[in-house]
Amino acid sequence: MSKRRANADPSSQPPKKKSYVVQLPSFGAENEYDNQTPINSPSTALSIRQSSSGDVPSLVSISLRAFARALLSLYETEESRERTRRQLKALPELLVTRLLSVLRKEIPTYLTHGLLVAYFIRGTEITLTGELTGVTNLTLHAIPDNCPHLVHLELRDLKKPSDDVLSSVISKLPALETLILRGCTHAGSKTVATAAQCPELRVLNLNYTTPSASSVGALLIACPKLEVLKLAGIPKLNPSVISSWAKDISSAEPSDEAPLQQLMSLKLRDTGLNDSALVNLLGLTPNLERLDVSFTQVRSIGCLSSLTKLRKLSLTACPLNTSLAELDKIPDLPHLEILHLGAIGVNGSPTLTDSALYALTDVLEPLTRLEN
């Protein structure tokens, strides 16, 4: 190949490329847009974005979970064990309740009687459940000794404690405001009679316990401040005894606080309740907002006409009369937000026909607050 001549004509050479330099403002420097307000936007700079608190757990929750998962390893050496004990002793009462709740989910079988009594049976709120295999009668008896001013006691699904043991524990806790005994199958008449001696009782959950109907009726009269009452699955509740409660309450001596007048939530699910017994009882509960009579013998929706403040109603699996004439008797419930009507029928056969469903829809249309 021939070499290019050194003195070649400059016009014959390709032109040089031009370089383009973009002049950017200094980082953070003020510009013409800084003082302008966007069109159709509020003048304030405050964010209006709604944060979702349910997606991200709080730092406290994360710390409690981390501690619960590390507790077993913290007890491996004497040095770390003593340090952990001191930290548990110094834990505020509010966090003690929350930590125990986390430990029930993470390592329920590790919490022995000694560990529970030493570090967790204290404060004004105690919750012990069936997952905690270390709970014994001695654990329960330690509750009034460690917490004489207890206001919230939840003993859920404890199958072993006898009626006598539960009664003995509650008898030493006169300041109780909340008592939850759900699933304590041996909680019977003695336990309920003792609970009736707690004049400040506001929340009582006896779901799936075994007291007599008469002991429950006596408690309703003795505890006029009750706001929440749950009696689901108690085998001895039939229409006659429930109606007798209303008679006994009506004939009780007048007082400043009439029984059931403050009741806002009532659960009689899976009992022998029927229309007449329900009408007698509801006549004494003018402030009721939540009612669950699922899996009972309630047939007429019209018997709820006195519940003008009702917000939630559960009629699941009730043998409701869904004739057009009966549906016309549905009372005006202006505050109703939640209505459960699943599995309506008799002996497993559904009675809510298409025509009845259409009629029901028309009746419910004026209930503007109904959400579910």
Side-chain angles (χ1 to χ4, degrees), residues 255-270:
S255 62
D256 295 337
E257 295 177 310
L260 300 183
Q261 292 295 302
Q262 298 185 35
L263 194 67
M264 293 187 294
S265 180
L266 175 62
K267 188 170 188 175
L268 291 167
R269 179 190 181 100
D270 196 19

Side-chain angles (χ1 to χ4, degrees), residues 62-370:
I62 294 174
S63 301
L64 291 176
R65 292 176 188 173
F67 178 82
R69 292 167 183 171
L71 184 58
L72 295 180
S73 60
L74 292 173
Y75 262 67
E76 289 179 353
T77 65
E78 184 63 28
E79 181 181 356
S80 63
R81 184 160 52 248
E82 288 301 321
R83 183 174 64 253
T84 302
R85 288 171 177 170
R86 291 194 300 270
Q87 291 173 340
L88 286 173
K89 280 288 188 182
L91 202 64
E93 291 179 0
L94 177 62
L95 293 182
V96 167
T97 303
R98 294 183 62 178
L99 177 58
L100 182 57
S101 176
V102 176
L103 289 172
R104 284 201 310 266
K105 299 176 182 177
E106 298 290 339
I107 49 172
T109 58
Y110 183 77
L111 300 177
T112 63
H113 159 73
L115 194 63
L116 288 169
V117 173
Y119 306 111
F120 297 102
I121 305 297
R122 57 188 175 103
T124 58
E125 181 176 339
I126 299 295
T127 299
L128 301 175
T129 65
E131 297 96 338
L132 299 172
T133 56
V135 175
T136 67
N137 288 344
L138 293 177
T139 312
L140 299 181
H141 284 300
I143 293 176
D145 295 336
N146 293 11
C147 317
H149 304 294
L150 195 70
V151 297
H152 180 111
L153 178 60
E154 181 174 352
L155 305 177
R156 183 161 33 90
D157 296 322
L158 298 180
K159 309 298 183 182
K160 294 182 179 180
S162 66
D163 195 18
D164 290 330
V165 169
L166 294 171
S167 175
S168 176
V169 172
I170 295 171
S171 67
K172 301 173 185 176
L173 301 170
L176 279 179
E177 297 179 9
T178 298
L179 177 59
I180 299 174
L181 298 173
R182 187 190 190 283
C184 293
T185 52
H186 296 297
S189 300
K190 289 184 179 180
T191 300
V192 172
T194 305
Q197 300 173 19
C198 302
E200 299 300 317
L201 200 61
R202 286 173 167 79
V203 177
L204 178 62
N205 186 336
L206 295 175
N207 289 348
Y208 306 103
T209 57
T210 54
S212 65
S214 59
S215 64
V216 175
L219 181 142
L220 299 182
I221 297 175
C223 300
K225 294 183 179 180
L226 276 176
E227 297 175 2
V228 177
L229 179 63
K230 298 187 177 184
L231 305 172
I234 296 180
K236 300 177 182 179
L237 299 188
N238 55 58
S240 61
V241 298
I242 294 175
S243 296
S244 68
W245 294 346
K247 295 179 182 179
D248 294 340
I249 292 173
S250 300
S251 60
E253 295 182 4
S255 62
D256 295 337
E257 295 177 310
L260 300 183
Q261 292 295 302
Q262 298 185 35
L263 194 67
M264 293 187 294
S265 180
L266 175 62
K267 188 170 188 175
L268 291 167
R269 179 190 181 100
D270 196 19
T271 63
L273 184 72
N274 65 8
D275 291 351
S276 60
L278 182 61
V279 170
N280 292 333
L281 193 59
L282 295 184
L284 303 172
T285 59
N287 294 307
L288 202 63
E289 296 181 0
R290 306 170 73 89
L291 175 64
D292 186 351
V293 292
S294 302
F295 297 92
T296 65
Q297 293 303 308
V298 172
R299 297 177 179 274
S300 174
I301 302 180
C303 65
L304 308 175
S305 57
S306 62
L307 303 181
T308 57
K309 298 181 180 180
L310 204 62
R311 295 173 50 234
K312 179 179 179 180
L313 174 61
S314 297
L315 295 165
T316 302
C318 288
L320 293 179
N321 184 346
T322 57
S323 65
L324 298 182
E326 183 64 27
L327 292 176
D328 288 338
K329 299 178 183 178
I330 294 180
D332 182 20
L333 303 174
H335 300 287
L336 194 65
E337 299 173 1
I338 301 173
L339 177 62
H340 293 165
L341 293 172
I344 292 176
V346 179
N347 298 325
S349 300
T351 58
L352 192 60
T353 61
D354 290 345
S355 58
L357 184 58
Y358 286 131
L360 179 63
T361 304
D362 294 336
V363 173
L364 297 179
E365 186 178 3
L367 305 182
T368 56
R369 296 191 180 186
L370 196 62

